[in-house]
Amino acid sequence: SENRVIMDEAAIRRALTRIAHEILEKNKGIEGCMLVGIVSRGVHLAQRLAERLEDIEGVTVPWGELDVTPYRDDRESAEGTAAAGDQLKGLEVQGKKVILVDDVLFTGRTIRAAMDAIMDCGRPESIQLAVLADRGHRELPIRPDYVGKNVPTSREEEIEVLLQERDETDVVRLTQK
Ligand code: 5GP
Ligand code: MG
Protein backbone atom coordinates (compact mmCIF):
# COMPACT_ATOMS: atom_id res chain seq x y z
CA SER A 1 0.00 0.00 0.00
CA GLU A 2 2.69 2.50 -0.97
CA ASN A 3 1.66 6.10 -1.79
CA ARG A 4 -2.00 5.84 -0.91
CA VAL A 5 -3.89 9.05 -1.75
CA ILE A 6 -5.50 10.46 1.41
CA MET A 7 -6.85 13.70 -0.06
CA ASP A 8 -7.06 14.71 -3.69
CA GLU A 9 -7.37 18.27 -4.98
CA ALA A 10 -11.14 18.39 -4.44
CA ALA A 11 -10.87 16.95 -0.93
CA ILE A 12 -8.25 19.56 0.05
CA ARG A 13 -10.40 22.34 -1.40
CA ARG A 14 -13.50 21.14 0.48
CA ALA A 15 -11.61 20.66 3.74
CA LEU A 16 -10.28 24.23 3.61
CA THR A 17 -13.75 25.59 2.84
CA ARG A 18 -15.18 23.62 5.79
CA ILE A 19 -12.40 24.84 8.10
CA ALA A 20 -13.07 28.45 7.03
CA HIS A 21 -16.71 28.01 8.06
CA GLU A 22 -15.71 26.34 11.34
CA ILE A 23 -13.38 29.27 12.12
CA LEU A 24 -16.24 31.72 11.51
CA GLU A 25 -18.64 29.66 13.63
CA LYS A 26 -16.26 29.25 16.57
CA ASN A 27 -15.22 32.91 16.57
CA LYS A 28 -18.68 34.31 15.67
CA GLY A 29 -17.18 35.99 12.62
CA ILE A 30 -13.62 36.96 11.81
CA GLU A 31 -13.30 40.16 13.87
CA GLY A 32 -10.08 40.16 15.91
CA CYS A 33 -8.72 37.01 14.23
CA MET A 34 -5.42 36.64 12.41
CA LEU A 35 -3.90 33.65 10.63
CA VAL A 36 -0.26 32.62 11.03
CA GLY A 37 1.06 29.99 8.62
CA ILE A 38 4.00 27.86 9.72
CA VAL A 39 6.84 27.74 7.18
CA SER A 40 6.76 26.26 4.72
CA ARG A 41 3.51 24.68 3.53
CA GLY A 42 1.44 26.11 6.37
CA VAL A 43 1.97 29.52 4.78
CA HIS A 44 0.14 28.54 1.59
CA LEU A 45 -2.69 27.01 3.61
CA ALA A 46 -3.00 30.17 5.72
CA GLN A 47 -3.17 32.28 2.57
CA ARG A 48 -5.85 30.01 1.08
CA LEU A 49 -7.88 30.15 4.29
CA ALA A 50 -7.57 33.94 4.40
CA GLU A 51 -8.85 34.12 0.81
CA ARG A 52 -11.82 31.87 1.63
CA LEU A 53 -12.67 33.82 4.76
CA GLU A 54 -12.56 37.03 2.73
CA ASP A 55 -14.84 35.50 0.07
CA ILE A 56 -17.36 34.44 2.72
CA GLU A 57 -17.28 37.49 5.01
CA GLY A 58 -16.27 40.25 2.61
CA VAL A 59 -13.59 41.61 4.92
CA THR A 60 -9.79 41.44 4.82
CA VAL A 61 -8.25 38.87 7.15
CA PRO A 62 -4.74 39.64 8.39
CA TRP A 63 -2.31 36.77 7.90
CA GLY A 64 1.40 36.26 8.28
CA GLU A 65 4.07 33.59 8.27
CA LEU A 66 6.34 32.17 10.92
CA ASP A 67 9.50 30.04 10.78
CA VAL A 68 9.78 28.50 14.25
CA THR A 69 13.26 27.01 13.82
CA PRO A 70 14.84 29.37 16.42
CA TYR A 71 12.17 28.37 18.96
CA ARG A 72 12.56 24.59 18.63
CA ASP A 73 13.86 22.70 21.67
CA ASP A 74 15.46 19.97 19.60
CA ARG A 75 17.48 21.92 17.03
CA GLU A 76 20.53 24.13 16.93
CA SER A 77 19.23 27.68 16.97
CA ALA A 78 19.06 28.76 13.35
CA GLU A 79 21.41 31.60 12.50
CA GLY A 80 19.81 33.94 10.02
CA THR A 81 16.19 33.28 10.97
CA ALA A 82 14.57 36.51 12.15
CA ALA A 83 12.84 36.88 15.52
CA ALA A 84 9.11 36.22 15.43
CA GLY A 85 8.20 39.91 15.75
CA ASP A 86 10.18 40.75 12.61
CA GLN A 87 8.81 37.76 10.72
CA LEU A 88 5.23 38.90 11.38
CA LYS A 89 6.08 42.22 9.68
CA GLY A 90 4.13 44.53 11.99
CA LEU A 91 1.09 42.25 12.42
CA GLU A 92 -0.20 42.97 15.93
CA VAL A 93 -0.61 39.86 18.14
CA GLN A 94 -1.71 41.68 21.30
CA GLY A 95 -5.35 40.91 22.14
CA LYS A 96 -5.87 38.96 18.91
CA LYS A 97 -7.25 35.49 18.29
CA VAL A 98 -4.24 33.93 16.60
CA ILE A 99 -5.01 30.94 14.39
CA LEU A 100 -1.89 28.90 13.65
CA VAL A 101 -2.01 26.98 10.37
CA ASP A 102 0.19 24.03 9.42
CA ASP A 103 0.11 21.16 6.97
CA VAL A 104 0.76 18.19 9.29
CA LEU A 105 0.50 17.85 13.08
CA PHE A 106 2.76 15.14 14.54
CA THR A 107 4.49 15.35 17.96
CA GLY A 108 3.25 18.90 18.62
CA ARG A 109 6.76 20.32 19.08
CA THR A 110 6.47 22.72 16.13
CA ILE A 111 3.22 24.14 17.51
CA ARG A 112 4.67 24.44 21.01
CA ALA A 113 7.53 26.44 19.48
CA ALA A 114 5.05 28.54 17.46
CA MET A 115 3.09 29.38 20.64
CA ASP A 116 6.36 30.42 22.29
CA ALA A 117 7.20 32.63 19.31
CA ILE A 118 3.73 34.23 19.29
CA MET A 119 3.88 34.93 23.04
CA ASP A 120 7.21 36.69 22.41
CA CYS A 121 5.31 39.24 20.32
CA GLY A 122 2.51 40.04 22.75
CA ARG A 123 -0.38 38.54 24.67
CA PRO A 124 -2.97 37.09 22.30
CA GLU A 125 -6.58 36.68 23.47
CA SER A 126 -6.34 33.05 22.35
CA ILE A 127 -4.33 30.74 20.13
CA GLN A 128 -6.09 28.20 17.94
CA LEU A 129 -4.71 25.57 15.59
CA ALA A 130 -5.76 24.48 12.11
CA VAL A 131 -4.00 21.60 10.32
CA LEU A 132 -4.62 19.88 7.02
CA ALA A 133 -3.68 16.45 8.44
CA ASP A 134 -3.24 15.08 11.96
CA ARG A 135 -1.04 11.95 11.88
CA GLY A 136 -1.08 11.35 15.64
CA HIS A 137 1.95 10.46 17.86
CA ARG A 138 1.68 13.55 20.06
CA GLU A 139 4.45 14.08 22.64
CA LEU A 140 2.87 17.20 24.16
CA PRO A 141 -0.68 18.09 25.34
CA ILE A 142 -1.58 19.85 22.08
CA ARG A 143 -4.66 19.26 19.94
CA PRO A 144 -5.96 20.97 16.81
CA ASP A 145 -9.17 23.02 16.78
CA TYR A 146 -9.67 22.48 13.04
CA VAL A 147 -8.59 19.33 11.16
CA GLY A 148 -8.74 18.62 7.43
CA LYS A 149 -8.32 14.90 7.98
CA ASN A 150 -7.30 12.62 10.83
CA VAL A 151 -4.76 10.14 9.45
CA PRO A 152 -3.72 7.51 11.99
CA THR A 153 -0.18 6.51 11.01
CA SER A 154 2.37 3.96 12.12
CA ARG A 155 5.88 5.13 13.00
CA GLU A 156 7.02 3.84 9.60
CA GLU A 157 4.57 6.01 7.70
CA GLU A 158 4.78 9.64 6.69
CA ILE A 159 2.36 12.01 5.05
CA GLU A 160 3.37 13.66 1.80
CA VAL A 161 1.69 17.03 1.27
CA LEU A 162 1.99 18.61 -2.16
CA LEU A 163 0.52 22.06 -2.76
CA GLN A 164 0.02 23.88 -6.07
CA GLU A 165 2.03 26.93 -4.97
CA ARG A 166 5.25 24.90 -4.50
CA ASP A 167 4.64 21.52 -6.05
CA GLU A 168 2.35 22.26 -9.01
CA THR A 169 -0.27 19.84 -7.71
CA ASP A 170 -2.59 19.45 -4.70
CA VAL A 171 -2.48 16.04 -3.03
CA VAL A 172 -1.98 14.40 0.38
CA ARG A 173 -0.52 10.89 0.31
CA LEU A 174 0.49 8.28 2.86
CA THR A 175 4.02 7.01 2.21
CA GLN A 176 6.39 4.48 3.77
CA LYS A 177 9.58 5.99 5.23
P1 5GP B 1 5.77 18.04 14.93
O1 5GP B 1 6.55 19.25 15.30
O2 5GP B 1 4.32 18.12 15.37
O3 5GP B 1 6.44 16.77 15.33
O4 5GP B 1 5.75 17.98 13.35
C1 5GP B 1 4.99 18.89 12.62
C2 5GP B 1 5.84 19.69 11.68
O5 5GP B 1 6.71 18.84 10.97
C3 5GP B 1 4.98 20.40 10.67
O6 5GP B 1 5.52 21.67 10.38
C4 5GP B 1 5.03 19.50 9.45
O7 5GP B 1 5.18 20.26 8.28
C5 5GP B 1 6.22 18.59 9.68
N1 5GP B 1 5.82 17.16 9.61
C6 5GP B 1 5.83 16.24 10.61
N2 5GP B 1 5.46 15.04 10.17
C7 5GP B 1 5.17 15.21 8.86
C8 5GP B 1 4.70 14.34 7.82
O8 5GP B 1 4.45 13.14 7.99
N3 5GP B 1 4.53 14.90 6.60
C9 5GP B 1 4.77 16.23 6.35
N4 5GP B 1 4.54 16.68 5.10
N5 5GP B 1 5.22 17.07 7.29
C10 5GP B 1 5.40 16.56 8.53
MG1 MG C 1 6.37 22.08 8.29
Side-chain angles (χ1 to χ4, degrees):
S1 66
E2 66 283 342
N3 289 9
R4 187 155 62 84
V5 172
I6 303 284
M7 302 175 88
D8 61 11
E9 189 262 332
I12 292 171
R13 175 164 33 83
R14 292 180 191 126
L16 291 174
T17 299
R18 170 178 52 80
I19 289 172
H21 284 283
E22 287 175 351
I23 288 172
L24 292 171
E25 190 170 23
K26 184 182 175 81
N27 296 289
K28 302 179 174 69
I30 203 63
E31 175 87 41
C33 294
M34 62 184 277
L35 303 176
V36 176
I38 308 300
V39 169
S40 56
R41 284 179 181 75
V43 176
H44 306 302
L45 298 171
Q47 179 169 23
R48 290 187 196 188
L49 279 174
E51 284 166 5
R52 279 192 182 48
L53 290 163
E54 287 174 23
D55 287 346
I56 300 164
E57 291 292 281
V59 293
T60 308
V61 180
W63 71 276
E65 55 185 84
L66 188 61
D67 179 348
V68 301
T69 313
Y71 294 85
R72 295 278 308 208
D73 57 5
D74 55 352
R75 292 205 193 133
E76 299 290 309
S77 103
E79 300 264 330
T81 306
D86 295 328
Q87 291 188 49
L88 291 178
K89 299 192 173 80
L91 271 184
E92 191 59 63
V93 158
Q94 186 71 32
K96 291 282 159 51
K97 296 181 235 182
V98 176
I99 303 169
L100 300 173
V101 183
D102 209 351
D103 56 351
V104 176
L105 179 60
F106 180 41
T107 65
R109 286 174 193 273
T110 298
I111 296 308
R112 188 216 57 82
M115 290 193 284
D116 210 11
I118 292 294
M119 305 282 193
D120 252 13
C121 305
R123 188 183 188 283
E125 179 185 311
S126 64
I127 300 180
Q128 302 167 24
L129 174 61
V131 297
L132 188 58
D134 182 352
R135 63 178 279 210
H137 302 280
R138 216 77 78 240
E139 295 171 2
L140 296 169
I142 283 169
R143 50 123 192 88
D145 299 279
Y146 315 100
V147 188
K149 192 150 184 126
N150 283 297
V151 188
T153 56
S154 74
R155 284 272 173 192
E156 289 69 48
E157 291 167 326
E158 273 183 315
I159 296 175
E160 182 181 34
V161 177
L162 301 180
L163 297 177
Q164 198 73 50
E165 294 89 333
R166 308 179 72 83
D167 313 302
E168 275 142 28
T169 186
D170 269 5
V171 71
V172 178
R173 283 191 290 244
L174 191 62
T175 65
Q176 302 294 319
K177 268 190 204 169

